[in-house]
Amino acid sequence: MLRVLLELIRIIFIFAFLGVLLGIIPHSIYLLIGINTEKYAWSYMLGIFILIFVLYRNKLQFSGWYKGKGREKLPKALSKTLTISAIILLLSPPMLHLFFN
C-alpha cells in the first residue's frame, strides 16, 4: 500500500514538474510571435501532458516504487498515435490564432 502511495505522489510530481518545465518553452515561443497564450494554452498544455503520459507509460513507470500488476508499455501504434496527436496540439495555437482572429 505504501509503494502505491509513493508511486502516486511520484506521478503527480512528474506531471507537475515536467508540465511546468515543458510548458514554458511553447509559451515563450508563442509570446514571441504574438499569439495569445491565455486563449490557446489549453492546446499546447494538453499536448505536453499527452507526451508526459507516453513517456511515463513507456519509460518512467519501470523505475518507480510500484512493482505490481499492470506495468506494461503502451502498444507501439497507440504510442505513435498519441505522440502525433500531441505534436499537432503543440503546433495548433498558431493555426487557431489565424482562424479565430
Side-chain angles (χ1 to χ4, degrees):
M1 181 68 170
L2 182 61
R3 286 180 179 255
V4 173
L5 183 64
L6 286 172
E7 187 64 21
L8 183 60
I9 292 169
R10 180 176 172 260
I11 291 169
I12 292 169
F13 179 75
I14 287 170
F15 271 78
F17 182 72
L18 285 179
V20 168
L21 192 65
L22 294 176
I24 291 171
I25 297 167
H27 179 80
S28 301
I29 292 170
Y30 293 145
L31 278 178
L32 283 174
I33 59 176
I35 294 174
N36 185 356
T37 55
E38 289 182 25
K39 198 172 187 181
Y40 305 115
W42 63 270
S43 174
Y44 69 82
M45 286 309 293
L46 183 60
I48 287 170
F49 284 128
I50 291 172
L51 286 175
I52 294 170
F53 172 75
V54 171
L55 175 67
Y56 178 80
R57 283 296 306 266
N58 289 339
K59 299 283 183 205
L60 299 177
Q61 75 174 334
F62 302 109
S63 63
W65 286 290
Y66 182 68
K67 304 293 181 200
K69 293 180 185 177
R71 290 180 4 133
E72 36 185 74
K73 288 184 174 186
L74 293 172
K76 287 190 185 271
L78 182 60
S79 291
K80 255 186 203 176
T81 303
L82 287 173
T83 303
I84 290 169
S85 301
I87 291 169
I88 290 170
L89 284 167
L90 281 166
L91 298 176
S92 67
M95 289 176 244
L96 291 172
H97 181 75
L98 282 174
F99 287 130
F100 296 116
N101 286 339

